[in-house]
Amino acid sequence: MSNPTKSPVRTRRRKANSSEWVTQPINVSILPNLIGFNIRRAQIALWRDFGRTVGEGAVRPGMFSLLMLVEANPGIAQIDLATQLDMDKATIVGLIDSLQRRRWVIRKKSSVDRRRHGIFLTSAGRTGLEQLRQEMLEHEARFTRLFTTEELGT
């Protein structure tokens, strides 16, 4: 690991016995060398760009993922969505409720097991998802352009 480094980010501190402010670099210690720190920073950048550019900020990544799974698996059960997305059932129910209010999905009781509900895209949901898919691909391209083909492993 390298020595502690100075970040270009600066902090303002008041001079002793003065009303003046002094700008000093922040010592970021070993943070730039930690994979978890860097992955989190990358995730924050991705999240912010996603919020600005996909679905005009009204759609979160989890909702987009849910819609993609529903499109690819018409009639998928809520529990299967929860398992695949690693979300608790209450969160999935909330996402589906929100999408139902937008008239993007519908729930249908299973003809095999009345305790299960299958989730289906509506016509409006398919139209909306197509727009979101295009925005998501543009969002992804902004970040994948930052890497070489070798770095992307393709």
Side-chain angles (χ1 to χ4, degrees):
M1 298 221 178
S2 67
N3 293 331
T5 59
K6 299 289 184 178
S7 169
V9 175
R10 298 188 179 276
T11 185
R12 290 179 44 171
R13 295 187 182 150
R14 194 179 296 266
K15 279 186 178 179
N17 301 321
S18 171
S19 61
E20 282 185 59
W21 289 89
V22 177
T23 302
Q24 297 177 327
I26 296 173
N27 183 330
V28 293
S29 185
I30 65 168
L31 291 176
N33 300 315
L34 301 176
I35 193 165
F37 176 78
N38 287 293
I39 288 172
R40 178 68 175 140
R41 299 279 301 204
Q43 189 270 336
I44 290 168
L46 284 162
W47 182 273
R48 286 181 180 155
D49 186 75
F50 183 97
R52 283 191 304 268
T53 61
V54 178
E56 299 177 347
V59 173
R60 297 179 313 277
M63 186 177 285
F64 175 80
S65 299
L66 184 144
L67 286 165
M68 292 301 300
L69 290 174
V70 171
E71 178 192 46
N73 304 277
I76 189 169
Q78 295 175 164
I79 190 69
D80 296 331
L81 288 166
T83 300
Q84 184 62 42
L85 295 173
D86 196 24
M87 293 181 181
D88 60 71
K89 290 180 273 184
T91 300
I92 292 295
V93 168
L95 287 173
I96 293 169
D97 286 348
S98 175
L99 289 166
Q100 256 190 316
R101 283 190 296 276
R102 294 179 191 188
R103 296 183 174 14
W104 281 32
V105 300
I106 57 171
R107 286 180 174 102
K108 290 184 183 177
K109 283 195 182 228
S110 168
S111 58
V112 177
D113 183 348
R114 295 184 318 167
R115 296 170 296 175
R116 292 174 71 105
H117 288 88
I119 310 302
F120 297 85
L121 285 179
T122 63
S123 177
R126 280 188 289 281
T127 301
L129 182 56
E130 193 50 47
Q131 177 66 35
L132 291 175
R133 183 188 340 266
Q134 186 58 43
E135 292 170 1
M136 174 57 96
L137 292 172
E138 292 167 7
H139 160 75
E140 285 287 309
R142 275 190 295 285
F143 287 88
T144 56
R145 282 193 298 265
L146 301 173
F147 299 95
T148 66
T149 303
E150 294 80 27
E151 290 171 325
L152 293 171
T154 57

